[in-house]
Amino acid sequence: MAASSPLLTPTIFSTSNASNAERRSSYAPQARNPVSLRLYKVLGTNFDDEETFQALQTLSELYATPKSKQAQAISEDGDDDVLHDAMDVSHGSTMFLAESTPGESAARARKNLRRDMENKLAEGSRKFLEALGEVDAKLCELQSHVGVMRKSCDEAETQLALTNESSKILLERAGNLRDERSEVEEKKSIITLFLARFTLNDSEVEALTSRDVPVGPRFFEAMDKTERIRGDCRVLMAGEEGSTKAGLDIMASTSSNLEQGYEKILRYCSNEYRQVGRDSQLEVSPDMREAVLRLRKRPELLTEALTFLSETRQATLLSTFLTALTRGGPSGYPRPIELHAHDPLRYVGDMLAWVHQSIAAEREFLESLFGIKSDGRMVGSVRNFDSKGEEEDWIRELMDLAVGKLCTPLKMRVQQTIRSQESSIVSYKIANLLEFYLMTLRRTIGEDALLSKTLKEITDVAYKVFYDSIEAQSKALLRVPLDHDDPSVTPPIAVLDHAQILREVMSVYQSSLMGDEDEDERNAGFYQVMDIMVDPVVSMCLRKSEEKKRARPRWDEAVFVLNCLSYLQSVLGAFEFTIKKQNDIQNVVDERVRTLTDEHANAGLLSVAETCKNHDTDEPLSRIPSTQPADLQQALRHFSSWLSGLEVVHSPRLAQLTLQKLHTKIHHDALARLARTYRMICEEVKSPENKYEAASTLLGTERPFGQLHLLWQIFGLEEEDEEADTSEEEEEDVDEDMDAEEDEDGNEDDDDDDDEDDDEEVEEGGDKP
């Protein structure tokens, strides 16, 4: 399509922009040339406009360029009209313009543009009319069909009205029957639900009453339903209308079925208990546990069933215990308990351990049987028996009955073993073992159980045998004489053996403590043993040493007693529960230490010191015979000689003490007392009231020449203050008064003991003097 065609210029390109105007103004001299004007107009036309673009698109579709052959055929015909008609026939609304010379098609298009457009519009209108004609024909045909349908519907409506009129009665009857049917169905469903809730079906009745159906989940479900039916029936019968015949019938039938069910449970439990009682491995099935739970609603039936269990368990435990004693386990392992009868401790321990294990297994079996959950109690802790639950009462009663028959053979064998023992140590170990198991079983089965009472009796017998044994040993120790020809001051063999037995007994008691006892409980548990075993040793040492002293005057009784008591203290000192008895022995030791200190602190000044301490203030010391200057000079000379000897540093007598601490204490106390005595003598001699002439000369002739600090240096001790010395002297006076009183009481007790010993010797030895 040529852009310079004069046909399109006035129609399409009618606007221009400011830049085209400026360009035309710049070429104003050439404006008169038409070709230039046309070119400028075409070049200045803006083809970006949408309307222009659409117009050009329409022209391009209207005047499409033909193919080569078609264009050649058209070009041979020179008539434009014929050519135009041919193009209309061949290609419809699209015209193909073939140009033999350039610009011919554009000229032809400008010439026929109006006609081509009118033809195109006419062609479109013609097609629209043809389409509407077809639509009109279809609508006419549809209208005819609608008429026919309306006629048919009118006929159907008329026929339906006639039919409704004729069937009205039948419909009313059908509606009534339908209502009656729904009412009957509702009643049927209500009756069905009532029967399902308040009656048992054949299968459930068979499960409750038939022996062929075992006790199991099906049986318990039937029992639950029966119980539920009876509960619901009671609720219905408690209404305003009161009891009805149906309710009474339901209660009667369910009561019969329920009683048959309980009897079936009783038969099942009796058979199962007989079987379980004979087995060594006790296992409780869920059905058995549920059966016991059901029977708890019938206490008389439960009692009857548990009676079978108790009798079976009694016989089984007794038979099993005797088998363990004589035959042992399967295939001989573990070995029979009575094979260890030569070892009494193991023999008794094995029997008690077997009983304790059986009780634990029995307790676990019964707790599982009654469905009791664990209470969280630690193993070995005290069981709480304050709870009065029904299950706990049943368990305690059944356990007491089950192990009741074990008491007789156990008691007979244990007592026989106890009474056959000669060693007090073994007797005490057995007694401690029995007490341990007694405490353990009390925590498990309670104090009121028959087995606990039996063990209490056996334990009392064991302790009585032990106390009798150690009491006999202690009495025998009192009758053991000391060898008068033996000059040694060490503890005798009898005391050493007795102390060794005491040490082993205390070790056994120490190992038997649980660890949760307080100090009073620990001391009280062994105080009787110490009274029986320790007091005779102290009494024997004191009395027998006095007898030997009378027979051998030069024998050192005080050192012997201190050695015996020190050894006894060393034996008791390893155990905390002997504190009280150690204090009692320490009092005797302190008394003997004071006596030995007084004897060791003589050194020739004793008579002078006694005179100075007890003299009358009205008469001067220089006039008293024992403290006259000549006598005093002789005493000081004797003291000076003693200071030059070895006894100041080392005492041969105290060297015989086995406890070095006592040796040192007695020696230092004696030296300190000598120093204080010498100071008192010096003060009394220097006092003007005593009328000594040349007192300093009298004291200065012999060592230590009246110088106290020199005497303390000789003794190797620190010098004491006068106030401390005064208080110590007062304490010594008080101790001496107390010792005198105790000696008087002791002499009376010794006389009584001598009389008792004489009576015992007469009883044991007949005419023995």
Side-chain angles (χ1 to χ4, degrees):
M1 181 176 57
S4 61
S5 174
L7 179 64
L8 299 176
T9 303
T11 305
I12 302 174
F13 307 105
S14 61
T15 61
S16 62
N17 51 25
S19 61
N20 293 335
E22 291 177 0
R23 189 180 299 135
R24 285 196 302 270
S25 63
S26 63
Y27 294 97
Q30 298 179 2
R32 297 179 179 179
N33 190 349
V35 177
S36 299
L37 292 174
R38 181 62 55 84
L39 288 175
Y40 292 151
K41 187 175 182 180
V42 170
L43 293 175
T45 303
N46 184 9
F47 295 98
D48 295 336
D49 185 25
E50 182 67 22
E51 295 179 356
T52 304
F53 181 76
Q54 291 291 336
L56 292 177
Q57 183 70 24
T58 303
L59 290 177
S60 175
E61 293 177 355
L62 184 62
Y63 298 104
T65 304
K67 296 181 181 180
S68 60
K69 293 182 179 181
Q70 190 175 7
Q72 184 179 358
I74 295 174
S75 64
E76 292 176 357
D77 194 354
D79 192 356
D80 293 336
D81 297 333
V82 175
L83 178 62
H84 193 271
D85 295 336
M87 288 189 293
D88 292 340
V89 173
S90 305
H91 302 285
S93 62
T94 303
M95 302 176 185
F96 297 99
L97 299 179
E99 53 185 23
S100 58
T101 58
E104 183 180 1
S105 60
R108 193 183 296 116
R110 285 193 300 272
K111 180 180 179 181
N112 300 323
L113 178 60
R114 183 179 296 276
R115 188 183 65 181
D116 292 339
M117 294 301 296
E118 292 176 354
N119 290 335
K120 188 171 180 63
L121 292 174
E123 182 66 21
S125 300
R126 182 179 60 79
K127 292 181 178 180
F128 183 72
L129 290 175
E130 291 178 356
L132 289 178
E134 294 179 359
V135 172
D136 184 64
K138 295 294 184 181
L139 290 175
C140 291
E141 185 180 358
L142 179 62
Q143 186 176 5
S144 63
H145 288 305
V146 170
V148 175
M149 289 179 62
R150 183 180 293 108
K151 183 179 180 181
S152 298
C153 289
D154 293 338
E155 294 176 355
E157 185 177 359
T158 304
Q159 187 67 28
L160 182 61
L162 294 175
T163 303
N164 287 335
E165 187 68 24
S166 61
S167 60
K168 183 176 181 180
I169 299 175
L170 183 61
L171 290 175
E172 291 178 356
R173 177 61 179 169
N176 294 332
L177 292 175
R178 189 180 301 109
D179 295 338
E180 292 178 1
R181 179 181 179 182
S182 62
E183 184 178 355
V184 170
E185 290 291 338
E186 184 178 356
K187 291 181 179 180
K188 179 183 178 181
S189 62
I190 293 174
I191 293 173
T192 302
L193 292 175
F194 179 82
L195 293 177
R197 183 162 184 173
F198 288 93
T199 59
L200 298 174
N201 56 34
D202 296 338
S203 176
E204 293 168 343
V205 172
E206 182 183 7
L208 288 175
T209 59
S210 177
R211 292 176 178 266
D212 298 333
V213 179
V215 174
R218 177 184 170 188
F219 172 80
F220 294 126
E221 290 176 0
M223 285 201 70
D224 291 337
K225 185 175 180 181
T226 306
E227 294 285 354
R228 186 171 61 253
I229 289 173
R230 293 177 63 82
D232 295 341
C233 190
R234 291 190 188 95
V235 174
L236 292 178
M237 294 175 66
E240 296 180 356
E241 298 180 359
S243 302
T244 60
K245 186 177 183 301
L248 296 176
D249 293 340
I250 291 173
M251 292 295 289
S253 62
T254 53
S255 176
S256 176
N257 294 331
L258 195 61
E259 290 300 325
Q260 293 182 22
Y262 279 117
E263 291 178 0
K264 186 174 181 179
I265 292 178
L266 175 61
R267 292 192 300 270
Y268 166 76
C269 289
S270 301
N271 295 330
E272 289 295 323
Y273 291 160
R274 289 190 182 96
Q275 182 63 31
V276 170
R278 298 188 185 96
D279 297 336
S280 58
Q281 299 295 332
L282 300 177
E283 295 182 359
V284 179
S285 62
D287 294 338
M288 188 186 301
R289 188 181 301 111
E290 185 67 21
V292 172
L293 182 61
R294 305 281 178 166
L295 283 181
R296 288 175 59 186
K297 299 179 182 178
R298 297 289 190 273
E300 65 280 358
L301 299 180
L302 180 60
T303 303
E304 185 178 354
L306 293 179
T307 302
F308 291 113
L309 177 63
S310 175
E311 294 175 354
T312 308
R313 291 305 302 163
Q314 285 181 14
T316 301
L317 284 177
L318 179 59
S319 176
T320 307
F321 181 58
L322 295 177
T323 301
L325 287 173
T326 57
R327 298 176 56 186
S331 303
Y333 186 82
R335 303 179 67 185
I337 297 176
E338 290 190 348
L339 284 180
H340 306 290
H342 62 280
D343 186 354
L345 195 62
R346 180 174 180 181
Y347 179 52
V348 175
D350 288 348
M351 287 191 292
L352 294 175
W354 191 95
V355 173
H356 180 257
Q357 183 179 2
S358 300
I359 289 176
E362 198 73 17
R363 174 81 190 190
E364 183 179 357
F365 165 70
L366 293 176
E367 286 182 350
S368 177
L369 181 65
F370 285 95
I372 298 178
K373 297 182 179 180
S374 176
D375 55 357
R377 185 180 68 92
M378 297 293 292
V379 177
S381 60
V382 180
R383 188 180 298 277
N384 184 16
F385 294 102
D386 295 336
S387 59
K388 299 299 182 181
E390 184 181 2
E391 300 88 350
E392 185 65 30
D393 294 339
W394 279 112
I395 290 176
R396 294 174 62 180
E397 183 178 355
L398 289 173
M399 288 184 63
D400 196 13
L401 293 174
V403 301
K405 288 190 176 181
L406 299 179
C407 297
T408 301
L410 179 66
K411 181 178 180 180
M412 180 183 64
R413 285 169 171 78
V414 173
Q415 287 185 352
Q416 183 180 2
T417 303
I418 292 171
R419 290 192 173 95
S420 63
Q421 300 306 312
E422 298 179 356
S423 173
S424 58
I425 298 175
V426 176
S427 299
Y428 188 67
K429 288 181 179 180
I430 294 176
N432 265 279
L433 181 64
L434 288 170
E435 186 175 12
F436 167 75
Y437 275 101
L438 174 61
M439 294 174 59
T440 304
L441 292 180
R442 279 180 174 177
R443 294 176 177 180
T444 305
I445 61 178
E447 296 183 0
D448 299 331
L450 180 59
L451 183 61
S452 297
K453 295 179 180 179
T454 303
L455 277 179
K456 181 65 171 59
E457 295 176 3
I458 299 174
T459 304
D460 293 341
V461 171
Y463 274 109
K464 184 178 184 306
V465 171
F466 167 68
Y467 288 138
D468 292 343
S469 176
I470 59 176
E471 189 173 357
Q473 292 177 7
S474 300
K475 290 181 179 179
L477 181 64
L478 290 174
R479 293 191 295 268
V480 174
L482 296 179
D483 188 4
H484 295 174
D485 297 330
D486 185 10
S488 63
V489 291
T490 57
I493 299 298
V495 174
L496 297 179
D497 293 342
H498 191 80
Q500 182 62 29
I501 295 174
L502 177 62
R503 179 186 286 110
E504 294 187 12
V505 171
M506 289 190 296
S507 300
V508 174
Y509 179 74
Q510 179 76 25
S511 63
S512 66
L513 294 176
M514 304 297 292
D516 55 351
E517 303 89 351
D518 55 16
E519 184 177 358
D520 295 336
E521 291 178 352
R522 289 196 302 268
N523 297 338
F526 201 73
Y527 196 74
Q528 183 179 359
V529 179
M530 288 190 294
D531 287 343
I532 296 175
M533 298 192 70
V534 176
D535 292 348
V537 177
V538 178
S539 178
M540 179 264 185
C541 292
L542 297 178
R543 294 172 55 184
K544 298 301 179 180
S545 62
E546 292 176 357
E547 294 177 2
K548 187 174 180 178
K549 180 66 174 178
R550 289 193 295 267
R552 192 185 180 94
R554 300 186 63 183
W555 182 69
D556 200 337
E557 174 194 1
V559 174
F560 171 78
V561 173
L562 286 177
N563 285 340
C564 293
L565 297 181
S566 299
Y567 176 74
L568 190 59
Q569 275 188 318
S570 65
V571 173
L572 298 177
F575 304 95
E576 296 180 355
F577 51 84
T578 61
I579 298 297
K580 186 174 181 181
K581 185 59 67 175
Q582 292 183 50
N583 294 334
D584 296 341
I585 298 176
Q586 186 63 40
N587 294 333
V588 181
V589 171
D590 293 341
E591 178 186 350
R592 295 290 171 167
V593 166
R594 285 194 297 269
T595 302
L596 191 58
T597 302
D598 294 340
E599 296 176 358
H600 189 60
N602 188 356
L605 298 179
L606 182 59
S607 59
V608 178
E610 290 293 334
T611 303
C612 293
K613 186 182 299 183
N614 301 322
H615 83 284
D616 189 2
T617 56
D618 296 336
E619 185 178 4
L621 285 176
S622 59
R623 303 292 186 268
I624 299 176
S626 60
T627 56
Q628 291 180 1
D631 297 330
L632 181 61
Q633 184 72 26
Q634 185 178 359
L636 293 175
R637 186 179 301 109
H638 185 274
F639 180 63
S640 176
S641 301
W642 184 83
L643 289 177
S644 302
L646 295 177
E647 289 189 5
V648 177
V649 181
H650 176 74
S651 174
R653 183 186 182 187
L654 298 180
Q656 298 179 3
L657 292 172
T658 56
L659 190 61
Q660 184 64 30
K661 181 175 67 174
L662 281 179
H663 179 189
T664 305
K665 181 179 183 303
I666 294 173
H667 188 63
H668 287 177
D669 290 347
L671 294 179
R673 182 174 295 184
L674 281 174
R676 290 193 295 271
T677 301
Y678 184 76
R679 181 176 60 189
M680 181 188 65
I681 294 173
C682 292
E683 291 175 353
E684 293 293 338
V685 171
K686 293 178 181 179
S687 176
E689 297 177 356
N690 293 320
K691 299 179 180 181
Y692 280 102
E693 298 179 358
S696 300
T697 304
L698 180 62
L699 294 174
T701 57
E702 301 292 340
R703 296 177 63 194
F705 314 112
Q707 300 180 10
L708 293 176
H709 67 279
L710 180 59
L711 181 61
W712 286 106
Q713 292 177 1
I714 294 173
F715 288 161
L717 302 175
E718 294 183 1
E719 186 173 359
E720 297 178 354
D721 296 335
E722 293 184 3
E723 295 180 358
D725 296 343
T726 304
S727 62
E728 290 181 1
E729 290 177 358
E730 292 176 355
E731 291 178 359
E732 289 175 0
D733 295 338
V734 173
D735 293 340
E736 289 176 358
D737 296 338
M738 294 177 62
D739 293 343
E741 295 177 358
E742 292 177 357
D743 290 339
E744 293 177 358
D745 296 337
N747 292 331
E748 295 177 358
D749 295 339
D750 291 340
D751 295 339
D752 296 338
D753 294 339
D754 292 338
D755 295 338
E756 293 177 359
D757 292 340
D758 294 339
D759 294 339
E760 292 177 357
E761 290 176 357
V762 170
E763 292 176 359
E764 295 177 359
D767 297 334
K768 184 177 179 181

